[in-house]
Amino acid sequence: MFEVKSTDLAGRIGRLKTRNGEIETPYLLPVIHPASQSISVDTISNIGFPAVITNAYLTLKHFGDKAKEKGIHSIIDFDGIIMTDSGGYQILEYGEIEADPTQMARYQEGIGSDIAVVLDTPTGSSSNRRWAETTVKKSLDAAKLTLKLKKKDNTMMWSGPVQGGNFPDLVRTSARSMAALDFDIYAIGSPTEMIKNYHFSDLVRMVMTAKRELPLNKPVHLFGVGHPFTLSIAVAMGCDIFDSASYILYAKRGRYMTSAGTLNLEKMSYFPCVCPICSKWSVKELLESDRGIAVQELALHNLYALKNELDKTKEAIREGRLWEHVGSMARNHPKLWAAFLSLSRYSDELEEGTPLFKEKGLFLSSAPDEKRPEVRRFYRSLDRVTISKKKRIALILPETRDKPFLISNLYLNLTRAYDDILDQIQVCFIAPVFGLIPVEISDIYPLSQYVCSYPLDNHFTRVTIVKIKEFLARRSFKHVIIVDNSEDLHEVVKRLKSGVANATFVKALDIADDSDKLVERLNPYLSKVRT
Amino acid sequence: MFEVKSTDLAGRIGRLKTRNGEIETPYLLPVIHPASQSISVDTISNIGFPAVITNAYLTLKHFGDKAKEKGIHSIIDFDGIIMTDSGGYQILEYGEIEADPTQMARYQEGIGSDIAVVLDTPTGSSSNRRWAETTVKKSLDAAKLTLKLKKKDNTMMWSGPVQGGNFPDLVRTSARSMAALDFDIYAIGSPTEMIKNYHFSDLVRMVMTAKRELPLNKPVHLFGVGHPFTLSIAVAMGCDIFDSASYILYAKRGRYMTSAGTLNLEKMSYFPCVCPICSKWSVKELLESDRGIAVQELALHNLYALKNELDKTKEAIREGRLWEHVGSMARNHPKLWAAFLSLSRYSDELEEGTPLFKEKGLFLSSAPDEKRPEVRRFYRSLDRVTISKKKRIALILPETRDKPFLISNLYLNLTRAYDDILDQIQVCFIAPVFGLIPVEISDIYPLSQYVCSYPLDNHFTRVTIVKIKEFLARRSFKHVIIVDNSEDLHEVVKRLKSGVANATFVKALDIADDSDKLVERLNPYLSKVRT
């Protein structure tokens, strides 16, 4: 059973109940080698990884049927949750293995895995279309066969593999067919090569294509995302479970994980981390220590780095700051930035999980922040606002510093001075990115609280102008009065001059925030309405 | 003595030798209360803070002349480096104090501080111009007086205060006058209010204005920057020393520091940190613990968070990745993003410390990356490239995937096919942001290794076009042949059509990376040259 507790963007915090305990997601299962594991599972578990994954195919190779007698928990000496992989990765690496889906289904049940994976045929990233089609078909056949073999009374969970790789239509077909089968978890096949080659935008396309077809009430496993660097964007896409041997594989090559990328221990000067390992050693000391110890310590640091990124991402979901977190991570590499931009285009999916109201202000720094689900929702709600036909005049003012506008000094002064004609005037505020905001809705989230980066860049200026023009084009005001009293929005007002019909511009930069003088200066323009 | 070891942007790693040991900068001095310190200085020191700052004025109030007998090291029970502040902050807070610069100069010598601060009069952020002028003058007078009083044989270091606040011309005057005096350290006065109000762009202006006047071979102390959030940008501006009581002040209000901002412990769910404190407690446990313990533990976490950010920033300097690090931090808040954009305009200062060559590829994600010192340097070096007059034809090709271009398959094929006329053809590659690159210099850093985010956004597309046109406008080619064989740069090529005279465009999107076919397709255009 999978229960979703909190969401932001397409990301979620969930609880996956297995027969052997719960996993809180997003979660990364460290890979344990069934026969030659160098770091004890207990040590790994104590760092904050109470569930692990091991390989049923390698278990079969090393222990054969004996593993059925002992059970996988005894083999790797761990009584927590154990998921098993079935050899698919080995097929991807070596082309073929000495086992078939039927055998691996029975074997995983036999050794007592808590979560098992169908033996699929991964597509990989370099397949041609014909082979990709074959892998999708083979994986689907294996999935159907596995479910048929499943013992009724067995409480082990099964994960169904989605393949298709770089062919979106095949990913779609694969995900749709898999979704029709009753799996406990859905797994998206081998993004390993994409990640290795930094093809993060391809990863976004593959995952989002699959996610569209998969049920929202089931967890999604993305195979092999084992770096803090890419975790948050994968979570933001709605992936819940990850697995990776990278902590130890990287350590063996002297590679030190950070959220900003991988560093080479030999070239490092400082540990940019305060985990217990990095608090114990200096770089120099670790480099001078015995190689076995160095690998072990590096692997433990890598696990802490992964845990740290999982916790940062989870806390960001809880705080409603997943967009900021993914964006901040993305600035670390141009290809991750490209992936963030790709992700920002999946508006519907990102909106799905984004709460309607957030406690904290909305942040608008630069593109692609105008694509935030909160902004998009505002655009739609604006379309539904109707303005009385009596309101022949639009009075447009740049945003005030005190928010919401509805209770700003300026607006209160305006209502006092022009009380008698306000039924004929629609007061609107210019808000960056949002465009024009009728004052009556200015106290609704996120308009009540947002922070924008000033000076506006060209892109935000353009977006704001487009939105203002759209708003005005849909309403038929007889006159439009636009006040130019804000340095911050002066460029926007200036550029409105070519393009808004019936508009009068009121120069007022000299009196900026002085609401009394502003009200006075508007008198010649508004008193006309009285006559 | 101050020795700079590594630099990137205007930031540096340095070594400050005091009479009582060395401080590696950038460094933050935790504030210790001389009479009511709740966390032992040893505990703080063990976390990684071997030097602290305490307040000489408060010491005077609490201990009077007895402190001269005991010495400040014995009073706060710490034999490491102790800097003393002199009461300036108290003047800012309370308007006046019961001491004068002469008294505080003698007292700091008397109690045996390792580094002392002139008793200045901080400007603050809300001063009017007249008061700001007064504070600059009073601080300068105090500085001169203090240096006069300084005992010849005393090895204590002195720090000279720069004031002026929000008035750039006053900051300039103040820094210039202070720089003329022989201080060991220069301190930039009270940015506390700017930071509290998130006026980070004002902070950038104040610091950069001061930095322009201060000697590069002396460390700069920025008073009161005590949050991981703002540390990296302050370091990137060339500030070396910070001090703050925020670790404990925040803890007392239940505030938990992270690089992305401050969180309220009561509203947290996960610790996004793996420091020894956060590894020991869960949020729930800490909330349920005794208040005294919670404050203590929170303060220690805050110190770890500060140390973590210092180490991240130092490692970023060593890796040549300070730009990326500051940019990534800046995406956490629109006003920090605005400050990053402000900083990017101080090109000369940022270039000063940026190494000429870096081991790692240059990253170009989005604005303001085109303002990177490395890019700016390339523009200048391009101006110095001369092209033989014999080269009447410019052959312009989009960048190849394999770099440097000089040894790309495409270029090698070209040289083979058109060997006889290459002396008449200038081959150039289009590189995003850089513009046009004559193939002969394409193996020079950073052209040999850069990564750009594709698809190019509008801003980068425009920058690229402007640079291409600039390059062509300065050279008088008879013909320009522009090849359109790259999806990534198709938009750039398309937009070049209006604006490049004598240009022939060769459609080749269909053969993209096939260098044999490309060479063939160019034949009708290039063979003309032969005749």
Side-chain angles (χ1 to χ4, degrees):
Chain A
M1 230 202 58
F2 183 61
E3 185 195 341
V4 172
K5 288 161 55 189
S6 302
T7 59
D8 198 19
L9 305 182
R12 61 253 190 110
I13 297 176
R15 207 185 292 238
L16 177 65
K17 284 183 190 152
T18 76
R19 64 179 180 190
N20 193 19
E22 279 184 14
I23 298 175
E24 190 181 68
T25 63
Y27 183 75
L28 182 139
L29 298 135
V31 173
I32 304 299
H33 196 287
S36 63
Q37 174 66 17
S38 57
I39 297 174
S40 90
V41 189
D42 275 344
T43 305
I44 292 173
S45 169
N46 285 337
I47 287 175
F49 294 94
V52 300
I53 186 168
T54 189
N55 192 302
Y57 174 67
L58 296 181
T59 306
L60 175 68
K61 294 269 97 182
H62 281 278
F63 301 96
D65 280 344
K66 271 189 196 155
K68 290 189 191 169
E69 291 156 34
K70 290 183 77 176
I72 191 68
H73 289 83
S74 146
I75 293 219
I76 68 165
D77 191 18
F78 182 58
D79 59 9
I81 299 165
I82 300 178
M83 181 171 182
T84 46
D85 197 357
S86 51
Y89 184 74
Q90 281 67 26
I91 292 182
L92 189 65
E93 286 282 288
Y94 311 112
E96 229 175 314
I97 62 169
E98 299 160 28
D100 62 36
T102 304
Q103 193 182 357
M104 289 316 299
R106 290 199 173 124
Y107 192 71
Q108 289 178 90
E109 278 194 343
I111 61 176
S113 302
D114 298 309
I115 309 170
V117 176
V118 170
L119 175 55
D120 59 347
T121 308
T123 311
S125 300
S126 45
S127 305
N128 60 26
R129 186 171 177 93
R130 180 170 294 183
W131 177 247
E133 280 169 357
T134 308
T135 61
V136 167
K137 190 176 175 312
K138 280 181 120 178
S139 299
L140 182 61
D141 290 345
K144 286 179 180 166
L145 183 65
T146 301
L147 286 187
K148 241 182 246 165
L149 293 169
K150 185 180 161 183
K151 285 188 194 137
K152 278 265 149 51
D153 57 343
N154 197 319
T155 52
M156 182 174 76
M157 284 180 158
W158 274 106
S159 171
V162 175
Q163 295 294 345
N166 265 323
F167 302 92
D169 61 321
L170 298 184
V171 172
R172 195 173 306 123
T173 312
S174 176
R176 201 172 288 169
S177 318
M178 232 24 108
L181 303 177
D182 186 27
F183 280 104
D184 305 292
I185 298 172
Y186 294 91
I188 302 176
S190 300
T192 323
E193 287 169 79
M194 289 179 186
I195 291 172
K196 210 171 63 189
N197 298 319
Y198 283 60
H199 293 166
F200 302 131
S201 295
D202 292 347
L203 179 70
V204 168
R205 188 181 56 187
M206 179 177 82
V207 171
M208 293 309 283
T209 305
K211 275 290 295 186
R212 273 189 179 155
E213 308 298 331
L214 296 174
L216 281 175
N217 63 348
K218 294 281 174 75
V220 168
H221 180 180
L222 185 59
F223 268 110
V225 168
H227 200 294
F229 194 49
T230 39
L231 264 178
S232 63
I233 195 166
V235 171
M237 291 192 275
C239 298
D240 309 288
I241 303 173
F242 310 92
D243 71 280
S244 183
S246 55
Y247 68 99
I248 181 71
L249 299 178
Y250 275 56
K252 285 181 180 166
R253 291 185 290 124
R255 311 288 286 170
Y256 177 100
M257 289 181 179
T258 84
S259 306
T262 313
L263 303 176
N264 182 342
L265 183 66
E266 284 184 12
K267 295 191 174 175
M268 288 176 72
S269 305
Y270 306 91
F271 285 134
C273 173
V274 283
C275 79
I277 305 299
C278 297
S279 301
K280 190 165 71 186
W281 300 85
S282 74
V283 175
K284 197 162 169 281
E285 286 162 3
L286 196 54
L287 278 172
E288 285 166 358
S289 71
D290 175 80
R291 190 184 129 82
I293 291 174
V295 169
Q296 161 112 7
E297 295 291 272
L298 209 43
L300 295 181
H301 156 78
N302 287 344
L303 285 167
Y304 275 111
L306 287 162
K307 177 177 159 31
N308 196 6
E309 187 54 35
L310 280 172
D311 287 339
K312 278 186 191 172
T313 305
K314 284 199 279 185
E315 183 64 17
I317 291 176
R318 293 281 299 154
E319 301 262 336
R321 288 260 178 265
L322 188 54
W323 179 277
E324 282 83 353
H325 182 54
V326 175
S328 165
M329 289 293 104
R331 279 289 312 179
N332 287 310
H333 196 284
K335 297 206 171 178
L336 206 53
W337 184 257
F340 178 47
L341 295 183
S342 296
L343 178 62
S344 73
R345 286 181 212 111
Y346 290 85
S347 326
D348 288 335
E349 288 78 2
L350 298 184
E351 210 178 305
E352 180 97 34
T354 302
L356 288 173
F357 303 99
K358 290 183 173 179
E359 265 188 50
K360 295 194 178 179
L362 188 75
F363 287 173
L364 301 167
S365 289
S366 67
D369 293 349
E370 79 284 2
K371 294 209 172 74
R372 291 189 70 131
E374 298 91 341
V375 174
R376 207 167 155 262
R377 256 185 210 140
F378 165 77
Y379 291 153
R380 275 209 312 278
S381 72
L382 197 57
D383 290 343
R384 292 194 299 266
V385 170
T386 56
I387 291 173
S388 148
K389 283 199 177 143
K390 264 188 91 178
K391 301 201 165 195
R392 296 170 305 139
I393 293 161
L395 173 62
I396 296 176
L397 298 146
E399 63 159 348
T400 49
R401 241 159 254 186
D402 40 338
K403 294 189 181 69
F405 308 138
L406 195 58
I407 53 166
S408 66
N409 266 332
L410 177 58
Y411 183 66
L412 296 179
N413 276 359
L414 273 174
T415 53
R416 271 191 289 271
Y418 303 103
D419 183 40
D420 57 324
I421 48 169
L422 266 194
D423 57 338
Q424 297 169 59
I425 300 171
Q426 176 59 51
V427 180
C428 294
F429 286 86
I430 302 175
V433 176
F434 296 106
L436 276 192
I437 301 177
V439 70
E440 295 79 4
I441 63 160
S442 68
D443 57 347
I444 293 172
Y445 178 86
L447 302 172
S448 49
Q449 35 178 168
Y450 62 83
V451 185
C452 185
S453 186
Y454 282 113
L456 290 189
D457 63 19
N458 235 314
H459 182 66
F460 271 13
T461 301
R462 235 176 315 125
V463 169
T464 310
I465 289 168
V466 166
K467 287 294 155 188
I468 293 175
K469 287 186 180 171
E470 270 181 27
F471 180 93
L472 290 173
R474 280 202 214 131
R475 276 92 184 174
S476 45
F477 294 112
K478 211 168 159 196
H479 293 293
V480 176
I481 301 168
I482 304 177
V483 185
D484 184 13
N485 71 320
S486 150
E487 283 290 353
D488 285 341
L489 290 163
H490 174 63
E491 184 65 26
V492 169
V493 169
K494 216 177 76 186
R495 291 215 226 158
L496 279 175
K497 287 193 180 173
S498 62
V500 179
N502 313 322
T504 306
F505 289 84
V506 182
K507 283 189 188 175
L509 274 175
D510 55 323
I511 48 176
D513 288 337
D514 188 330
S515 59
D516 289 335
K517 284 194 182 153
L518 259 176
V519 165
E520 212 180 293
R521 190 162 297 178
L522 286 173
N523 204 31
Y525 304 91
L526 291 178
S527 55
K528 277 187 205 163
V529 180
R530 288 204 174 94
T531 57
Chain B
M1 228 203 56
F2 183 61
E3 183 195 340
V4 173
K5 289 161 54 189
S6 301
T7 59
D8 199 19
L9 305 182
R12 59 254 190 111
I13 296 175
R15 207 185 294 237
L16 178 66
K17 283 182 191 153
T18 77
R19 64 180 178 190
N20 194 19
E22 279 183 15
I23 298 175
E24 190 181 69
T25 63
Y27 183 76
L28 182 138
L29 298 135
V31 172
I32 305 297
H33 196 287
S36 63
Q37 175 65 18
S38 56
I39 297 176
S40 92
V41 188
D42 275 343
T43 305
I44 292 172
S45 170
N46 286 336
I47 289 175
F49 295 95
V52 300
I53 187 168
T54 188
N55 193 302
Y57 175 66
L58 296 181
T59 306
L60 176 67
K61 294 270 101 182
H62 281 278
F63 301 97
D65 278 345
K66 271 190 195 154
K68 290 190 192 167
E69 293 157 32
K70 290 184 76 175
I72 191 68
H73 289 83
S74 144
I75 293 219
I76 68 164
D77 192 18
F78 181 60
D79 60 9
I81 299 166
I82 299 179
M83 181 171 183
T84 46
D85 197 357
S86 50
Y89 184 74
Q90 281 68 26
I91 293 183
L92 189 65
E93 286 281 290
Y94 312 112
E96 229 176 313
I97 63 168
E98 299 160 29
D100 62 37
T102 305
Q103 193 181 357
M104 289 316 299
R106 291 196 172 126
Y107 192 71
Q108 288 178 91
E109 279 194 343
I111 60 176
S113 301
D114 298 309
I115 309 171
V117 176
V118 170
L119 176 56
D120 58 347
T121 308
T123 311
S125 300
S126 45
S127 305
N128 60 27
R129 187 171 176 93
R130 180 170 292 183
W131 178 245
E133 280 168 356
T134 308
T135 61
V136 166
K137 191 175 176 312
K138 281 181 120 176
S139 299
L140 182 62
D141 291 345
K144 287 178 179 165
L145 184 64
T146 301
L147 285 186
K148 240 182 249 167
L149 292 169
K150 186 180 160 182
K151 286 189 194 136
K152 277 264 151 48
D153 56 345
N154 197 321
T155 52
M156 183 174 75
M157 285 180 157
W158 273 106
S159 172
V162 175
Q163 294 295 345
N166 265 324
F167 301 93
D169 61 320
L170 298 183
V171 172
R172 195 173 305 122
T173 312
S174 175
R176 201 173 287 168
S177 319
M178 234 21 111
L181 304 176
D182 186 26
F183 280 103
D184 305 292
I185 297 173
Y186 294 91
I188 301 177
S190 300
T192 323
E193 287 169 80
M194 289 179 186
I195 291 171
K196 211 172 61 188
N197 298 320
Y198 283 61
H199 293 166
F200 302 130
S201 295
D202 292 347
L203 179 70
V204 168
R205 188 181 57 188
M206 179 177 82
V207 171
M208 294 309 285
T209 305
K211 274 291 294 185
R212 273 188 179 155
E213 308 299 331
L214 297 173
L216 281 176
N217 63 349
K218 295 280 174 78
V220 169
H221 179 179
L222 184 59
F223 269 112
V225 168
H227 200 294
F229 194 48
T230 40
L231 264 177
S232 63
I233 195 165
V235 171
M237 291 193 277
C239 299
D240 308 289
I241 302 173
F242 310 92
D243 72 281
S244 182
S246 54
Y247 68 99
I248 182 71
L249 299 179
Y250 275 56
K252 284 181 180 165
R253 291 185 288 124
R255 310 287 286 169
Y256 178 99
M257 289 180 178
T258 84
S259 306
T262 313
L263 302 176
N264 182 343
L265 183 65
E266 285 185 12
K267 294 191 175 177
M268 289 176 71
S269 306
Y270 306 91
F271 285 135
C273 173
V274 284
C275 79
I277 305 300
C278 297
S279 300
K280 192 166 69 186
W281 300 84
S282 72
V283 175
K284 196 162 170 282
E285 286 162 3
L286 196 55
L287 277 172
E288 285 167 357
S289 71
D290 174 81
R291 191 184 129 81
I293 291 174
V295 169
Q296 160 111 7
E297 295 291 273
L298 209 43
L300 296 180
H301 157 77
N302 287 343
L303 285 166
Y304 275 110
L306 287 162
K307 176 177 160 28
N308 195 6
E309 188 54 34
L310 281 172
D311 286 340
K312 279 186 192 174
T313 305
K314 285 198 277 186
E315 182 65 17
I317 291 175
R318 294 281 298 153
E319 301 262 335
R321 289 260 178 265
L322 188 54
W323 179 278
E324 282 83 354
H325 182 55
V326 175
S328 164
M329 288 293 104
R331 279 287 313 180
N332 287 312
H333 196 284
K335 297 205 172 177
L336 206 52
W337 185 254
F340 178 47
L341 295 183
S342 297
L343 178 62
S344 73
R345 285 179 213 114
Y346 291 86
S347 326
D348 288 336
E349 288 78 1
L350 299 185
E351 210 178 305
E352 180 96 33
T354 302
L356 287 173
F357 304 98
K358 291 184 173 179
E359 264 189 51
K360 295 194 177 178
L362 188 75
F363 287 173
L364 302 167
S365 289
S366 67
D369 292 350
E370 78 285 0
K371 296 208 171 73
R372 291 188 70 130
E374 298 92 340
V375 175
R376 208 167 154 263
R377 257 186 211 140
F378 165 76
Y379 291 153
R380 275 207 314 276
S381 71
L382 197 57
D383 290 343
R384 293 191 301 266
V385 170
T386 55
I387 291 172
S388 150
K389 282 197 180 147
K390 263 188 91 178
K391 301 202 167 195
R392 299 170 301 140
I393 293 161
L395 173 61
I396 296 176
L397 297 146
E399 64 160 347
T400 49
R401 240 159 255 186
D402 40 338
K403 295 189 180 71
F405 309 137
L406 196 56
I407 54 164
S408 66
N409 266 333
L410 176 59
Y411 184 65
L412 296 179
N413 276 359
L414 273 174
T415 53
R416 269 191 290 270
Y418 303 103
D419 183 40
D420 56 323
I421 47 170
L422 265 192
D423 57 339
Q424 298 170 59
I425 301 172
Q426 176 59 52
V427 180
C428 294
F429 286 86
I430 302 176
V433 176
F434 297 105
L436 275 192
I437 302 177
V439 69
E440 295 79 4
I441 63 161
S442 68
D443 57 346
I444 293 170
Y445 178 86
L447 302 172
S448 50
Q449 34 178 168
Y450 63 83
V451 185
C452 184
S453 188
Y454 281 113
L456 290 189
D457 64 20
N458 235 313
H459 182 67
F460 271 13
T461 301
R462 235 176 314 125
V463 170
T464 310
I465 290 169
V466 166
K467 287 294 155 189
I468 293 175
K469 288 186 179 171
E470 270 180 30
F471 180 92
L472 290 174
R474 280 200 215 133
R475 276 90 184 179
S476 46
F477 294 111
K478 212 166 157 198
H479 294 293
V480 177
I481 301 169
I482 303 178
V483 185
D484 184 13
N485 72 320
S486 148
E487 283 291 353
D488 285 341
L489 290 162
H490 174 63
E491 184 65 27
V492 169
V493 169
K494 217 177 75 187
R495 291 213 225 160
L496 280 174
K497 289 194 178 173
S498 62
V500 179
N502 314 323
T504 307
F505 290 83
V506 182
K507 283 189 189 172
L509 275 175
D510 55 325
I511 49 175
D513 288 337
D514 187 330
S515 59
D516 289 334
K517 284 194 183 153
L518 259 176
V519 165
E520 210 181 294
R521 190 163 296 179
L522 287 172
N523 204 34
Y525 305 91
L526 292 178
S527 54
K528 278 186 206 163
V529 180
R530 290 205 173 95
T531 57

